[in-house]
């Protein structure tokens, strides 16, 4: 088994190798014993699964309104005519 096949099996069977059929699990375990790339792939997959299982992150109240207001101010600032040498901040 190579890392590409291992990745395909993770996609199909999941990152819990104990649930894999013996004929796939044993070669995968051998690959993990000798391949740092396979180990990294498995850890990334597990980290992604943990992140997806975590509670959603909520934005603070009013954040969207503050973003829209800041964008409107930037648009207004960009539309104002400037004299020679003047910058948006001056």
């Amino acid at each position: 088994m190579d890392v590409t096949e291992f990745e395909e099996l993770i996609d199909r069977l999941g990152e819990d190798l104990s649930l894999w059929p013996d004929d796939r699990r044993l070669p995968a375990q051998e690959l993990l014993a000798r391949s740092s790339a396979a180990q990294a792939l498995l850890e990334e997959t597990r980290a992604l699964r943990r992140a997806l299982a975590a509670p959603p992150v909520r934005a603070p109240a009013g954040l969207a309104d503050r973003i829209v207001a800041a964008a409107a101010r930037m648009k207004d600032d960009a539309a104002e005519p400037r004299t020679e040498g003047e910058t948006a901040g001056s």
Side-chain angles (χ1 to χ4, degrees), residues 64-85:
D65 293 334
R66 293 193 304 270
I67 292 170
V68 171
R73 285 192 304 274
M74 290 176 68
K75 182 179 177 187
D76 291 343
D77 288 347
E80 293 177 10
R82 294 193 180 85
T83 59
E84 189 175 326

Side-chain angles (χ1 to χ4, degrees), residues 4 13-14 19 22 26-27 39 41 44 48 55 57 64-65 69 72-73 87 90:
T4 302
L13 302 173
L19 301 176
D22 288 345
L26 298 176
Q39 294 165 12
L41 177 64
E44 288 172 11
L48 177 59
V57 176
D65 293 334
R73 285 192 304 274
T87 63
S90 57

Side-chain angles (χ1 to χ4, degrees), residues 11-29:
D11 290 343
R12 286 188 311 170
L13 302 173
E15 75 278 0
D16 185 352
L17 273 57
S18 69
L19 301 176
W20 289 21
D22 288 345
D23 66 328
R24 304 286 66 206
R25 184 180 66 251
L26 298 176
Q29 289 170 331

